[in-house]
DNA sequence: TCAAAGTGCTTGCAATTGCAAACTCGGCGG
DNA sequence: CCGCCGAGTTTGCAATTGCAAGCACTTTGA
């Protein structure tokens, strides 16, 4: 999925609507907002609140967060700092388990920094795959949310 | 961190401010919003936009997302998906290391799910410990969110 | 004690948001 | 041709948001 520059929330909404092949009035009805207002939002004449974005997202059947990112309300998370933050925020594991995970993660990273970065214990095909997966995640805003 | 019920964004902001031991005017200055307005927000007389929440979060040195969650703008993501997604996306560890982390993480969670709800929050050594800490998690409102 | 400083709140106002009524345009069928 | 319908836009308005000036009360320091 292509992500246009943050700030063009109206363009993005129109783009998504057109991809979904529905009219402005249909989306407005599905989103529960007035169609004139939606028209204005799409053309950048009005700046919708987060709640309206939420409604529009529902009408488009997409995640509201995508629209928040587009509107600049939240940031697209950096994948690499996510592991530590995610572990720390995870409440389905215990504090000690979190620490264990963090320790292991950190030692892995230290290992990789000290050792050959090229030394991949796994199959030679792995690194490219890893990269590809990263690209995938980059393209999926949802997976970035923390 | 205690999370009061979603909807009481004003209470939450006041709570965070008081925990930080700063006056309403100080926070307002740090956040770049007017202090009367902040006062009204705290008392629930006004409903701040996402941008104002962003500014307030900066003033409080907390994540804006926390405030969005409190304000009901976004949902609290399942922590488990964050950790898994983060690990998968992490390029600073090898594929094998990623799998190890995921396996450990999953076994921890399985442990915690299957564990006794009985309170035994003590020794940090073995799976029984995990059970004990599950009780801890149960007592944490965070685990109920999302 | 008193004055100054700090704290949080009240009030009025300009700008913005979201809506409803109405409008214009294009396509289609009688 | 005309009328109808669906599409998107224009316009005016009420409600809301965020601010600045000012107020009332409390705390602090001489």
């Amino acid at each position: 999925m292509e992500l246009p520059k943050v700030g063009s929330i109206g363009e993005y909404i129109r783009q998504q609507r057109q991809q979904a092949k529905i009219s402005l009035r249909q989306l407005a009805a599905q989103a529960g907002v007035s169609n004139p207002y939606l028209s204005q939002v799409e053309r950048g004449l009005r700046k919708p609140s987060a709640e309206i974005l939420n409604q529009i997202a529902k009408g488009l059947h997409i995640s509201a967060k995508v629209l928040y990112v587009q509107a600049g309300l939240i940031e697209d998370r950096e994948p690499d700092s996510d592991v530590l933050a995610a572990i720390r925020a995870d409440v389905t594991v215990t504090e000690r388990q979190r620490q264990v995970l963090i320790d292991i993660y950190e030692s892995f990273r230290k290992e990789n920094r000290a050792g050959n970065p090229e030394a991949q214990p796994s199959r030679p095909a792995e690194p490219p795959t890893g990269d590809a997966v990263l690209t995938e995640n980059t393209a999926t805003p949802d997976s970035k949310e923390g």
Side-chain angles (χ1 to χ4, degrees), chain A:
Chain A
M1 176 166 70
E2 290 252 349
L3 291 180
K5 210 159 164 128
V6 170
S8 54
I9 182 63
E11 285 176 26
Y12 186 74
I13 289 170
R14 177 162 287 188
Q15 178 189 48
Q16 291 299 310
R17 174 172 69 79
Q18 289 170 344
Q19 275 187 28
K21 295 180 162 56
I22 58 175
S23 71
L24 184 140
R25 289 190 181 203
Q26 282 174 334
L27 175 56
Q30 282 166 193
V33 302
S34 76
N35 70 68
Y37 185 64
L38 178 58
S39 173
Q40 287 170 326
V41 168
E42 283 192 354
R43 287 172 292 124
L45 299 182
R46 289 280 205 266
K47 177 184 159 189
S49 66
E51 291 203 25
I52 294 292
L53 288 179
N54 208 17
Q55 289 177 245
I56 292 170
K58 276 183 187 146
L60 286 169
H61 296 107
I62 63 175
S63 161
K65 281 186 185 173
V66 174
L67 293 188
Y68 292 164
V69 170
Q70 281 299 310
L73 299 181
I74 58 179
E75 292 179 358
D76 219 341
R77 289 287 301 263
E78 283 291 329
D80 59 352
S81 60
D82 274 0
V83 172
L84 289 181
I87 291 171
R88 288 193 185 112
D90 193 311
V91 294
T92 63
V93 295
T94 67
E95 178 64 37
R96 185 151 308 265
Q97 288 170 339
R98 282 200 283 275
Q99 194 53 51
V100 170
L101 283 167
I102 289 170
D103 287 345
I104 293 171
Y105 175 67
E106 295 281 26
S107 73
F108 280 162
R109 290 174 69 193
K110 188 179 298 182
E111 220 176 87
N112 295 335
R113 271 189 238 116
N116 266 335
E118 299 174 348
Q120 300 287 351
S122 59
R123 292 153 310 227
E126 289 297 345
T129 305
D131 293 339
V133 175
L134 173 61
T135 305
E136 235 175 59
N137 282 329
T138 304
T140 310
D142 280 355
S143 64
K144 297 281 176 73
E145 304 294 1

